């Protein structure tokens, strides 16, 4: 395993063609819940048959968490931990950069802890371009990291429904643009009254950051009026539009690097007695 200084030098090198992030320029993160030492939730219980008071080993930090944010959730009782790591190309090139306890709750849930961790790490890692994470990241988290100048490469959350974006009118020609699967698509009507979404490859729109009235949003050239911010029009841009959409080749090449974090979870489980 290389030293942190060597890993930082590797991260500063550009990609093989000068564009696009390399593996060594991305931070990967994920959280896991090792099982509690015992299933007992109370330190003492009373045997109803004998009346004896039984003592149990209890982990005071253990609680019920829900894993697999990209698919159906499943409950797991234990203590949740977050890993953040960097990995240069080749074997034995991974460096664990952070290991944090996820206490749970609104401010200490997995995604919130991950955002704070990545924000702190990126300020000390020259050449860091972004992060790889799973579907636990929603628009709020992508917006916070994008404001730090980071790419967020993750899968679009399954609960994100398509959303109308804009109707473009060019004379008698109209284009109904929607946000679907993390990118702009054109809704095309069919003769039977149904419609389908076709990716709009020639349309460029801002992504990543959900603007607020405090942000400069510019003016409309046609009317000269100030453009309303995303929050004023009730549109969460970072929730519906990804910096690197899931259907693109870039996403398909980069996102698999996130699964490297799973081996860290396995190493942690193997180091525990009876995997607890």
């Amino acid at each position: 395993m290389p030293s942190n200084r060597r890993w930082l030098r590797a991260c500063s090198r550009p990609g093989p063609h000068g564009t696009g992030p390399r593996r060594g320029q991305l931070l990967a993160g994920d959280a896991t819940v090792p099982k509690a030492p015992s299933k007992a939730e109370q330190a003492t219980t009373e045997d109803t048959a004998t009346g004896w008071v039984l003592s149990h080993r209890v982990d005071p930090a253990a609680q019920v968490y829900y894993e697999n944010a990209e698919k159906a959730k499943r409950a797991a009782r234990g203590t949740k931990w977050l890993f953040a790591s960097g990995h240069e190309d080749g074997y034995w090139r991974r460096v664990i950069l952070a290991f944090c306890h996820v206490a749970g709750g609104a401010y200490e849930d997995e995604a919130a802890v991950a955002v704070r961790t990545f924000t702190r790490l990126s300020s000390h890692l020259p050449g860091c371009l972004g992060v790889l994470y799973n579907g636990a990241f929603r628009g709020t988290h992508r917006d916070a990291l994008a404001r730090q100048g980071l790419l967020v490469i993750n899968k679009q959350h399954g609960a994100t429904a398509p959303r109308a974006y804009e109707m473009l009118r060019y004379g008698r020609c109209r284009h109904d643009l929607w946000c679907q699967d993390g990118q702009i698509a054109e809704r095309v009507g069919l003769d039977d009254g149904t419609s389908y979404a076709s990716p709009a490859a020639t349309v460029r729109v801002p992504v990543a950051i959900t603007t607020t009235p405090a942000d400069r949003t510019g003016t409309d050239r046609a009317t000269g009026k100030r453009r309303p911010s995303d929050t004023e029009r009730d549109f969460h841009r970072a929730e519906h539009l990804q910096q690197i959409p899931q259907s693109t080749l870039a996403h398909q090449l980069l996102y698999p690097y996130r699964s490297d974090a799973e081996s860290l979870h396995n190493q942690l489980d193997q180091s525990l007695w009876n995997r607890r």
Side-chain angles (χ1 to χ4, degrees):
M1 181 177 291
S3 66
N4 286 359
R5 183 172 300 175
R6 179 180 173 187
W7 185 78
L8 292 178
R9 289 200 301 267
C11 283
S12 300
R13 298 197 301 267
H17 304 291
T19 59
R22 299 171 60 254
R23 185 177 189 177
Q25 295 172 309
L26 301 172
L27 300 177
D30 199 9
T32 185
V33 183
K35 293 181 180 179
S38 72
K39 295 182 180 180
E41 299 183 16
Q42 299 179 359
T44 59
T45 59
E46 182 179 349
D47 189 324
T48 56
T50 63
W52 292 354
V53 176
L54 306 177
S55 298
H56 306 281
R57 180 183 179 185
V58 178
D59 181 1
Q63 56 180 298
V64 176
Y65 295 90
Y66 293 93
E67 297 185 301
N68 294 343
E70 296 173 4
K71 301 179 181 178
K73 294 182 179 181
R74 77 179 164 82
R77 185 176 181 277
T79 308
K80 198 168 195 176
W81 300 94
L82 172 75
F83 285 96
S85 61
H87 199 306
E88 183 54 19
D89 294 333
Y91 295 102
W92 308 106
R93 296 296 184 92
R94 178 175 57 201
V95 177
I96 299 175
L97 299 168
F99 181 62
C100 309
H101 176 226
V102 180
Y107 185 69
E108 294 293 337
D109 70 349
E110 175 187 342
V113 173
V115 168
R116 294 200 301 272
T117 301
F118 288 134
T119 300
R120 183 176 67 254
L121 288 174
S122 64
S123 64
H124 298 286
L125 299 175
C128 177
L129 297 183
V131 302
L132 298 158
Y133 215 79
N134 59 18
F137 271 2
R138 301 294 297 268
T140 300
H141 313 111
R142 295 200 293 235
D143 177 84
L145 291 173
R147 289 179 182 274
Q148 306 298 323
L150 295 174
L151 288 169
V152 180
I153 304 168
N154 76 321
K155 287 189 175 181
Q156 188 74 343
H157 199 279
T160 305
R163 159 75 188 256
Y165 180 76
E166 186 179 12
M167 176 68 76
L168 297 181
R169 295 178 173 87
Y170 299 101
R172 299 176 61 183
C173 183
R174 295 188 178 185
H175 299 276
D176 188 10
L177 302 184
W178 282 64
C179 302
Q180 185 165 333
D181 298 328
Q183 61 184 335
I184 292 293
E186 182 178 0
R187 186 64 59 88
V188 180
L190 301 176
D191 293 340
D192 59 1
T194 62
S195 63
Y196 71 96
S198 174
T202 59
V203 178
R204 294 185 178 182
V205 299
V207 298
I209 295 177
T210 302
T211 59
T212 66
D215 300 321
R216 294 191 299 175
T217 56
T219 58
D220 189 334
R221 293 183 179 180
T223 63
K225 297 181 179 179
R226 184 182 70 88
R227 293 194 185 99
S229 65
D230 292 331
T231 55
E232 290 174 310
R233 55 183 285 210
D234 192 26
F235 175 62
H236 204 299
R237 186 176 301 271
E239 175 75 10
H240 293 279
L241 295 175
Q242 294 178 283
Q243 294 160 302
I244 301 180
Q246 188 172 329
S247 61
T248 61
L249 177 60
H251 190 282
Q252 295 169 17
L253 292 175
L254 294 172
Y255 185 74
Y257 294 146
R258 189 207 65 84
S259 60
D260 180 64
E262 300 294 340
S263 62
L264 294 176
H265 300 167
N266 182 64
Q267 290 180 33
L268 175 61
D269 290 338
Q270 294 290 348
S271 69
L272 304 175
W273 176 82
N274 198 25
R275 299 176 66 90
R276 289 185 175 272

